[in-house]
């Protein structure tokens, strides 16, 4: 689907990206690279239907030869709809010749993640004027071992239930709900490995070599 956007806002985000702390081994850096502005030129030029029609006119005979016009362009992938649950899947392998190699590097991830710098300025379910889109971490999946064998474990947060917050959500009073959204959801973290479950600290969770990250929306 081709959507015509205002060129002034087509590549704008909810929050400034210049203020980000882009440590190379961090989730912020990963998201920044995934949503970076790319230039399409030379062999990556974009096939432009408008330019083609302007140059050749409407195509009347399907069998007639038509010269397609390619043009330089910019491309950027941004989030257009903020999900209630955000799942981030880290690519933990790389090609090494004819084999796959597991990537064991630690990737830093926060307890509270602001997704606004990676969202379109016209993000559909974000109130106008909002420059923050906060998510609280509640689950992590970790893999130990190699590409051929290993073991999956998980960190999960048992969260405290706020009856008052639940009532506000059910009544749709979003402005009051936002007052709860500046801090991570309180609760106790547990490490789960098969039938073994152990209470752990937040620091232990944040030191994990994450394979999957699960966040829930606060704002």
């Amino acid at each position: 689907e081709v959507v015509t956007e205002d060129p002034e806002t087509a590549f704008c985000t909810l929050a400034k990206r210049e203020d980000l702390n882009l440590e190379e081994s961090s989730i912020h850096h990963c998201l920044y690279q995934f949503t970076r502005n790319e230039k399409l030129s030379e062999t990556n030029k974009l096939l432009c239907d408008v330019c083609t029609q302007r140059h050749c006119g409407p195509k009347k005979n399907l069998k007639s030869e038509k010269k397609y016009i390619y043009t330089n362009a910019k491309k950027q992938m941004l989030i257009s709809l903020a999900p209630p649950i955000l799942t981030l899947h880290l690519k933990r392998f790389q090609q090494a010749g004819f084999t796959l190699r597991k990537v064991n590097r630690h990737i830093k991830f926060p307890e509270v993640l602001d997704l606004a710098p990676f969202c379109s300025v016209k993000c559909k379910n974000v109130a106008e004027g909002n420059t923050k889109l906060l998510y609280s971490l509640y689950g992590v999946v970790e893999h130990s071992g190699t590409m051929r064998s290993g073991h999956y474990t998980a960190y999960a947060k048992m969260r405290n239930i706020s009856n008052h917050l639940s009532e506000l959500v059910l009544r749709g009073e979003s402005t009051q709900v936002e007052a709860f959204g500046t801090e991570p959801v309180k609760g106790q973290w547990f490490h789960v490995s098969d039938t073994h479950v152990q209470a752990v600290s937040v620091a232990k969770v944040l030191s994990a070599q994450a394979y999957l990250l699960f966040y829930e929306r606060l704002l």
Side-chain angles (χ1 to χ4, degrees), residues 4-203:
T4 302
E5 295 283 357
D6 181 353
E8 295 296 326
T9 60
F11 296 93
C12 293
T13 51
L14 284 176
K16 292 182 179 179
R17 296 160 69 89
E18 294 80 8
D19 300 331
L20 288 171
N21 180 17
L22 295 177
E23 292 185 69
E24 185 174 350
S25 299
S26 69
I27 282 295
H28 287 105
H29 185 265
C30 293
L31 288 170
Y32 185 88
Q33 290 296 320
F34 187 76
T35 59
R36 73 187 187 279
N37 193 321
E38 300 177 61
K39 293 182 179 180
L40 304 179
S41 60
E42 298 179 356
T43 57
N44 289 322
K45 283 184 178 181
L46 183 72
L47 171 61
C48 179
D49 291 332
V50 175
C51 300
T52 300
Q53 288 185 11
R54 186 184 299 131
H55 185 268
C56 305
K59 190 173 182 179
K60 297 179 181 179
N61 187 353
L62 293 178
K63 295 183 179 180
S64 64
E65 185 178 350
K66 188 173 185 178
K67 182 180 179 182
Y68 293 98
I69 305 300
Y70 294 82
T71 182
N72 294 330
K74 290 195 298 183
K75 167 190 168 186
Q76 187 173 26
M77 296 179 66
L78 294 171
I79 297 169
S80 62
L81 183 69
I85 299 297
L86 175 68
T87 304
L88 299 178
H89 182 186
L90 279 70
K91 181 180 175 182
R92 283 281 179 188
F93 64 89
Q94 64 183 26
Q95 190 79 31
F98 295 100
T99 61
L100 291 176
R101 179 188 303 164
K102 184 183 175 185
V103 177
N104 291 310
R105 182 192 311 171
H106 174 67
I107 302 297
K108 293 182 181 180
F109 53 94
E111 193 176 0
V112 174
L113 174 67
D114 186 2
L115 206 62
F118 315 108
C119 293
S120 165
V121 72
K122 294 183 179 180
C123 200
K124 296 181 180 65
N125 54 348
V126 177
E128 187 176 352
N130 271 15
T131 57
K132 284 188 177 293
L133 188 58
L134 302 183
Y135 284 80
S136 179
L137 183 71
Y138 74 91
V140 181
V141 173
E142 186 177 41
H143 178 267
S144 59
T146 65
M147 292 292 295
R148 294 182 177 274
S149 64
H151 181 57
Y152 287 97
T153 58
Y155 294 92
K157 180 189 278 189
M158 187 175 72
R159 292 156 289 173
N160 299 334
I161 298 176
S162 172
N163 293 327
H164 180 50
L165 178 58
S166 300
E167 291 173 5
L168 291 174
V169 172
L170 290 174
R171 293 203 300 264
E173 299 181 18
S174 58
T175 55
Q176 294 188 49
V177 171
E178 289 178 2
F180 288 82
T182 56
E183 298 290 337
V185 177
K186 294 181 180 180
Q188 174 62 56
W189 281 97
F190 291 90
H191 183 229
V192 185
S193 178
D194 293 336
T195 57
H196 180 70
V197 180
Q198 180 183 11
V200 294
S201 65
V202 175

